[in-house]
Amino acid sequence: MRYNIFLLLDVGTFSALVDLLNMEIDNTAACSSAVRKPAISLADSTDLRVLLNIMYLMVETIQQDDPADRPEWKIIRETFRTELGSPLFNNEPVSVMLFGMVTKFCSGHAPHFPMKKVLLLLWKSILFTLGGFEQLQTIKVHKREELGLPPLPEDSIRVIRSMRAASPPASASDLIEQQQKRARREHKALIKQDNLDQFNEKDPYKADDSREDEDDNDDSDNSIEPETFPLERDEVMPPPIPHPPSERVSFPKGLPWAPKVREKDIENFLESSRSKFIGYTLGSDTDTVVGLPRPIHESIKTLKQHKYISIAEMQIAKEEDFQKTPLSGGEEEVEMCATELLYQGILPSLPQYMIALLKILLAAAPTSKAKTDSINILADVLPEEMPTTVLQSMKLGVDVNRHKEIIVKAISAILLLLLKHFKLNHIYQFEYMAQHLVFANCIPLILKFFNQNIMSYITAKNSISVLDFPYCVVHELPELTAESLEAGDNNQFCWRNLFSCINLLRILNKLTKWKHSRTMMLVVFKSAPILKRALKVKQAMMQLYVLKLLKVQTKYLGRQWRKSNMKTMSAIYQKVRHRLNDDWAYGNDLDARPWDFQAEECALRANIERFNSRRYDKSHSNPDFLPVDNCLQSVLGQRVDLPEDFQMNYDLWLEREVFSKPISWEELLQ
């Protein structure tokens, strides 16, 4: 397959496929007949599906780096990556053309477009041209070096890989149920329960005989085997049966993340210390420590040791300079990387693209009810003939659910990749996309997605493994029966759905980080109980992003919530990075006070618009700053084409505008 794909690429098949796809997109006859049809089926999109399939297989196979590739293949691969991300085909990157298909589908002009395949190809094109998370980390390290910033304190991908999942905080009903079971098991021995919060039965989601090796430090990235919190085993009420030696209390070896401090935090700390001890303030001076007591000196020293300057802060400062000094600041050198080319391609219609993606995400979410006005995303899964047997309808049911899951997976990956790449390329590109996602109600949409039984979503078995590619090509197809379909595969969980959930949580984190107005949206939409339920999934990475979202809103949730969720609070303390001086747990913070949230978004929007018009809108640049031609000969020597009707009525114009108007030559000469 790899050999054939490189062969096809070498003879220029991909550009032919792009041309054919363009013809299909512009095929008005197919579009108008699909719009008129009451029910659209697979038959309406056969040609489109074949083209997209070939393109997807080509992009997906080539983007996987194989060390065994020949040297000429490696050259072809790099050339293809560059061509795919540059405006070579059709004067725009391929991703922009696919975004156009998404909006055309959502507007109702082309309901026969096979959206699942379009989104998958879009995702893989972005992944290949811009790079995945490993490449992002490399770009980030390189950019920090260029800007003269200190290296990153740790590699976040590695840290998360070595994290272990924690047991979810059990609810009161779970605890009572376990207590009853335990009482029965121990010959009805009565157990006094002083406090539900203290009573910690072994994890209810875990098999009884699971033996945990405390020192097992293997890569538990994709395992959902749990690890209970240290100090939260059965030591509160020792049972009569002695524990095996492996159940010893384990203490954490240290926190996983190095703490960080922003420049603003140091300034705030110094301001409050100065006003407290000396009675005056010095603005943004962070070096003068005259008159402050010794412990404050040590605090400042510790804060400065952990000071972290992000690439975004540098970019914002640079942008402010460009805005202040448009002439003396000089020309900005914009590196034309794949991310920059993609941003320039999608900039004119970015709001429409975001709305279209979220519309499809809403239609594919398992919590969505089938409304008549929502878009039909099943055009490329429903057959012409509806199923007649039980087996056929079961197969179609699995297929429809799988189809929706894949769409959610693709959209979540597209959004997260774009947000991360834009943030690295320029903070205001990221903010522009993020703001349009927020305006299109992305925050409540993701919370709505999580407002379901996440455990059953992550353990859903909506795939028929014998029909999956490449299994179906390599093996003989066994006979499918209703029983074998019902049994499903023997996987513990559905990796696809876990991937989607983690991506959506990360998108939510990206949208709300450092934005008080958006954090308040999390509080207003009552996200805490929804997120707490998501902690039941014992996967370290997913838990980390849930805990991050709970951490930002803890100070707004009130004392009672914190009191009754101490287990969650200790999990946040253990797993999430500490910001020194961040009063996240108590809410005595200045930032926790209500203020005009709309003003915050408006100021951000104004900054984004200034950035976009300065960098990309060359037509509306300030006329005062444009060079002026004031040489008489060249001005008079310019040829001016006059319209025909003016030439016909030239005498009239002369009479009206020149001869009949009195001219005071003295004034003119003076």
Side-chain angles (χ1 to χ4, degrees):
M1 180 177 167
R2 202 170 173 85
Y3 173 82
N4 283 336
I5 280 173
F6 274 105
L7 188 66
L8 283 174
L9 197 59
D10 204 18
V11 296
T13 317
F14 197 81
S15 47
L17 289 168
V18 174
D19 292 341
L20 283 167
L21 186 61
N22 264 321
M23 288 179 200
E24 285 295 333
I25 294 169
D26 298 334
N27 184 347
T28 46
C31 290
S32 54
S33 75
V35 169
R36 286 198 300 272
K37 270 194 179 178
I40 300 167
S41 68
L42 279 165
D44 295 298
S45 59
T46 313
D47 296 345
L48 270 166
R49 288 201 328 278
V50 171
L51 290 172
L52 289 163
N53 266 343
I54 303 169
M55 289 169 81
Y56 176 82
L57 286 173
M58 286 178 82
V59 174
E60 170 62 2
T61 309
I62 293 166
Q63 72 114 355
Q64 289 168 3
D65 196 5
D66 190 346
D69 280 351
R70 305 173 194 169
E72 60 266 29
W73 281 11
K74 286 182 178 166
I75 297 165
I76 292 174
R77 181 174 183 267
E78 285 310 310
T79 313
F80 181 56
R81 185 209 293 267
T82 315
E83 287 176 355
L84 201 62
S86 60
L88 185 75
F89 308 105
N90 217 25
N91 296 329
E92 58 184 11
V94 171
S95 308
V96 179
M97 180 179 87
L98 295 168
F99 265 123
M101 286 183 80
V102 175
T103 43
K104 195 170 180 184
F105 170 81
C106 280
S107 63
H109 296 314
H112 65 299
F113 280 179
M115 240 335 88
K116 182 188 82 176
K117 292 190 183 338
V118 172
L119 290 166
L120 281 172
L121 179 57
L122 177 56
W123 167 33
K124 295 296 178 181
S125 304
I126 292 171
L127 183 63
F128 183 40
T129 51
L130 307 191
F133 291 153
E134 299 281 351
Q135 285 99 316
L136 264 164
Q137 193 72 11
T138 316
I139 299 166
K140 193 172 185 178
V141 169
H142 178 64
K143 275 211 162 180
R144 287 186 71 81
E145 272 175 24
E146 274 185 355
L147 292 165
L149 295 172
L152 292 164
E154 69 273 292
D155 181 346
S156 53
I157 301 171
R158 267 209 198 108
V159 175
I160 292 173
R161 268 190 194 146
S162 60
M163 268 191 179
R164 300 289 296 268
S167 304
S171 63
S173 57
D174 287 340
L175 292 167
I176 291 163
E177 200 179 306
Q178 292 157 31
Q179 193 188 2
Q180 287 167 351
K181 277 185 195 166
R182 190 164 168 167
R184 280 200 297 276
R185 209 169 48 235
E186 291 167 359
H187 311 295
K188 305 275 186 287
L190 290 171
I191 296 175
K192 183 185 174 201
Q193 185 182 351
D194 296 322
N195 178 355
L196 275 183
D197 209 3
Q198 278 183 308
F199 175 66
N200 292 312
E201 175 69 27
K202 275 174 74 175
D203 179 23
Y205 299 95
K206 191 173 168 185
D208 276 348
D209 61 345
S210 93
R211 286 173 278 283
E212 257 191 330
D213 181 5
E214 295 303 339
D215 299 315
D216 177 22
N217 227 353
D218 64 346
D219 184 2
S220 60
D221 192 21
N222 49 10
S223 79
I224 48 171
E225 201 32 51
E227 178 206 23
T228 47
F229 282 134
L231 296 173
E232 290 192 352
R233 313 247 168 140
D234 290 325
E235 72 272 19
V236 177
M237 293 162 47
I241 308 158
H243 273 295
S246 68
E247 284 287 315
R248 285 194 314 275
V249 171
S250 72
F251 290 94
K253 294 183 178 72
L255 296 169
W257 305 99
K260 283 182 182 176
V261 184
R262 293 183 299 170
E263 183 74 35
K264 189 181 149 199
D265 299 330
I266 301 176
E267 283 174 22
N268 289 346
F269 176 71
L270 267 165
E271 287 287 272
S272 59
S273 305
R274 282 175 190 144
S275 55
K276 187 173 170 186
F277 291 108
I278 312 169
Y280 70 86
T281 57
L282 289 174
S284 58
D285 178 356
T286 54
D287 297 321
T288 312
V289 286
V290 179
L292 295 174
R294 176 115 244 149
I296 300 287
H297 288 215
E298 284 170 20
S299 304
I300 293 161
K301 191 180 165 193
T302 309
L303 288 173
K304 284 187 174 175
Q305 269 173 356
H306 293 97
K307 186 166 90 168
Y308 177 78
I309 302 168
S310 65
I311 296 171
E313 287 172 81
M314 302 287 280
Q315 289 170 340
I316 289 170
K318 223 178 237 176
E319 184 58 28
E320 278 175 8
D321 287 346
F322 277 121
Q323 297 291 355
K324 277 181 200 162
T325 56
L327 291 174
S328 58
E331 274 293 304
E332 183 186 13
E333 284 180 30
V334 181
E335 187 195 346
M336 281 306 183
C337 56
T339 314
E340 185 61 40
L341 289 168
L342 180 61
Y343 184 75
Q344 289 183 14
I346 66 174
L347 176 65
S349 314
L350 189 134
Q352 291 89 304
Y353 296 152
M354 293 305 114
I355 290 167
L357 285 176
L358 293 181
K359 265 187 181 173
I360 299 170
L361 181 62
L362 178 65
T367 47
S368 296
K369 303 284 172 282
K371 288 195 197 123
T372 44
D373 59 341
S374 76
I375 42 179
N376 175 24
I377 50 167
L378 302 176
D380 54 331
V381 70
L382 296 175
E384 271 189 293
E385 301 291 321
M386 272 308 172
T388 48
T389 65
V390 174
L391 179 67
Q392 281 176 335
S393 55
M394 275 180 78
K395 188 166 163 247
L396 184 62
V398 170
D399 226 11
V400 165
N401 287 338
R402 172 177 172 273
H403 187 83
K404 287 182 172 180
E405 285 173 5
I406 291 172
I407 286 178
V408 172
K409 174 185 180 179
I411 292 178
S412 68
I414 289 166
L415 292 175
L416 183 61
L417 271 176
L418 286 178
L419 284 169
K420 283 190 81 70
H421 276 284
F422 286 159
K423 189 169 185 186
L424 251 189
N425 198 45
H426 200 291
I427 183 68
Y428 283 133
Q429 296 178 349
F430 159 80
E431 293 290 9
Y432 185 55
M433 178 177 165
Q435 196 161 53
H436 278 292
L437 284 173
V438 173
F439 291 160
N441 278 341
C442 184
I443 294 176
L445 170 56
I446 295 177
L447 291 174
K448 183 182 179 182
F449 179 89
F450 278 97
N451 196 13
Q452 57 168 317
N453 186 343
I454 284 289
M455 281 304 272
S456 65
Y457 183 66
I458 278 173
T459 52
K461 291 184 171 21
N462 287 319
S463 60
I464 306 163
S465 51
V466 291
L467 295 181
D468 283 346
F469 178 82
Y471 188 97
C472 58
V473 181
V474 184
H475 298 80
E476 281 291 312
L477 190 64
E479 194 183 345
L480 288 172
T481 60
E483 288 74 39
S484 69
L485 280 188
E486 209 165 318
D489 52 18
N490 53 5
N491 286 341
Q492 264 186 304
F493 65 98
C494 172
W495 177 243
R496 171 172 60 228
N497 291 353
L498 186 58
F499 175 85
S500 306
C501 288
I502 293 173
N503 283 349
L504 290 169
L505 285 167
R506 292 183 74 170
I507 292 164
L508 206 48
N509 263 301
K510 286 247 167 279
L511 297 181
T512 52
K513 194 175 178 181
W514 303 122
K515 306 275 188 304
H516 300 289
S517 52
R518 297 176 194 175
T519 306
M520 285 311 288
M521 282 173 86
L522 290 178
V523 180
V524 169
F525 291 124
K526 297 189 170 52
S527 64
I530 298 171
L531 293 168
K532 243 190 92 180
R533 277 203 302 277
L535 281 176
K536 288 189 175 181
V537 179
K538 287 202 258 351
Q539 206 277 340
M541 194 173 187
M542 180 157 166
Q543 285 184 340
L544 173 73
Y545 289 108
V546 172
L547 291 170
K548 276 187 170 192
L549 285 166
L550 284 168
K551 179 183 173 177
V552 291
Q553 52 176 320
T554 303
K555 56 187 166 196
Y556 303 102
L557 294 173
R559 189 161 169 231
Q560 191 50 48
W561 187 90
R562 296 195 287 272
K563 204 172 164 186
S564 50
N565 288 285
M566 283 314 289
K567 237 181 182 182
T568 309
M569 298 283 280
S570 64
I572 293 172
Y573 186 84
Q574 275 184 337
K575 294 195 179 301
V576 182
R577 187 192 300 279
H578 288 272
R579 293 265 171 188
L580 300 179
N581 275 9
D582 178 13
D583 199 1
W584 63 271
Y586 302 104
N588 307 326
D589 199 357
L590 296 169
D591 293 341
R593 294 179 192 155
W595 55 21
D596 184 3
F597 292 132
Q598 216 167 354
E600 194 184 5
E601 288 289 352
C602 289
L604 179 63
R605 191 175 188 175
N607 285 340
I608 295 165
E609 281 173 0
R610 276 200 295 270
F611 164 76
N612 279 338
S613 67
R614 180 188 68 77
R615 206 195 246 197
Y616 303 110
D617 196 359
K618 299 298 175 201
S619 58
H620 295 121
S621 49
N622 193 329
D624 297 342
F625 298 148
L626 291 177
V628 178
D629 182 4
N630 48 17
C631 171
L632 201 62
Q633 284 175 314
S634 67
V635 171
L636 292 174
Q638 279 173 7
R639 179 173 171 76
V640 180
D641 289 325
L642 300 167
E644 250 179 70
D645 54 342
F646 177 77
Q647 290 176 2
M648 301 275 282
N649 304 313
Y650 181 59
D651 304 340
L652 282 172
W653 181 84
L654 268 179
E655 188 62 47
R656 193 178 67 234
E657 298 291 329
V658 183
F659 300 143
S660 63
K661 292 220 169 156
I663 298 172
S664 171
W665 293 102
E666 283 77 11
E667 276 185 38
L668 190 65
L669 288 169
Q670 281 169 5

